[in-house]
Amino acid sequence: MKDFPIPVVALGPGTQTEDESLSYLSMPKDMDTYRAPMLPEPEEIAGRTQARAVLTQVCDLLDAAAEGRSGAQVGLRGLSADDLGLVNQVMGEGEASAIVRDGTTGLEVRVQESVFAGVWRLMSFKDGVCVDDAIEVGPVPALLRTVAAEDAMVAYRPWSGALPPNVQNAPLLLDEIRDQVSRWRPGQAPHVVNLTLLPVTPEDIGFLDHQLGTGRVLLLSRGYGNCRISNTRHPNCWRVVYYNSMDAVILNTVEVVDMPEVAMAAPEDLRDSHTRLADVLGYLEQA
């Protein structure tokens, strides 16, 4: 009898080996959610009247901001160490932070969102010393808008001469972005240029960033993966880049808008923050 010409191959789970491994892009796995602050026992915080007054003001401002009224600040410089410690404990640290540096004055403003969306801590430093400390309530700190507008007033010289090597599609994208910038008006939907989906080289990206310019605002959001938001030297023009949990770029965009939506707390977030902070104040009133 002759050998059977077709080899018999075992089938089923566990019988196959992979000669090549497939490489998949890692996606974000963690989503930051609200975590109630760990508060001391009521008898341990008796007498913290200054802290309670500050938190009550913040709660009132949240109520106003949720209704669309402009945000405002509550100063913290006059608080005692114990009261400030309680405010710090209640506020905690949320998923967004920003930094604004002024190279002329040497002033650095560090912005940290609290665990209550739309409640921001702003601390100003000069030569490493804190010179101001406040809580601001609103979709996004007004300072970020102000500095971005100031940066856009600086004239930025367009490129002239031959293009750098391997720069291919960036000039056309710049024309599109600058056209959108010139025509954008408040209330208009954002215009998004998705660089991830376009045939651009690394040199294109570098040339684009150089021509758009880099402003003084840098905001990081860690809600789902990481998002880096920075202003350009063009009015209402932002760079918004998303990273996965492995710090690989998964979305690279230019947004023409007054402020990217991902940077702001939505009205429903402000209402939720008001409800949660009111619950905390109810607990503190037991002291």
Side-chain angles (χ1 to χ4, degrees), residues 114-135:
S114 72
V115 295
F116 304 96
V119 179
W120 308 82
R121 183 73 170 272
L122 282 73
M123 300 182 72
S124 302
F125 292 85
K126 182 75 175 291
D127 299 326
V129 178
C130 182
V131 295
D132 196 16
D133 189 2
I135 291 175

Side-chain angles (χ1 to χ4, degrees), residues 147-242:
V147 171
E150 292 174 353
D151 288 343
M153 295 178 184
V154 179
Y156 208 79
R157 183 182 302 172
W159 184 270
S160 61
L163 293 174
N166 213 25
V167 172
Q168 301 171 6
N169 294 317
L172 293 176
L173 292 174
L174 280 169
D175 289 342
E176 175 188 348
I177 293 168
R178 285 171 173 157
D179 176 64
Q180 290 292 330
V181 165
S182 67
R183 295 191 290 112
W184 190 87
R185 296 294 181 269
Q188 185 175 320
H191 179 80
V192 180
V193 178
N194 188 341
L195 302 175
T196 310
L197 299 179
L198 296 175
V200 291
T201 65
E203 290 79 7
D204 277 322
I205 300 294
F207 183 82
L208 187 72
D209 284 336
H210 181 269
Q211 287 300 291
L212 291 177
T214 302
R216 292 172 289 164
V217 176
L218 174 61
L219 190 146
L220 302 175
S221 178
R222 297 174 293 275
Y224 191 60
N226 294 311
C227 179
R228 176 188 173 107
I229 305 160
S230 56
N231 69 311
T232 70
R233 292 301 181 103
H234 289 56
N236 305 309
C237 184
W238 300 80
R239 293 286 281 114
V240 183
V241 184
Y242 295 83

Side-chain angles (χ1 to χ4, degrees), residues 237-257:
C237 184
W238 300 80
R239 293 286 281 114
V240 183
V241 184
Y242 295 83
Y243 302 82
N244 65 10
S245 55
M246 303 298 291
D247 287 332
V249 175
I250 55 176
L251 184 60
N252 189 356
T253 67
V254 178
E255 290 193 20
V256 180
V257 67

Side-chain angles (χ1 to χ4, degrees), residues 8-19:
V8 177
V9 178
L11 299 176
T15 62
Q16 307 300 309
T17 60
E18 293 184 0
D19 294 329

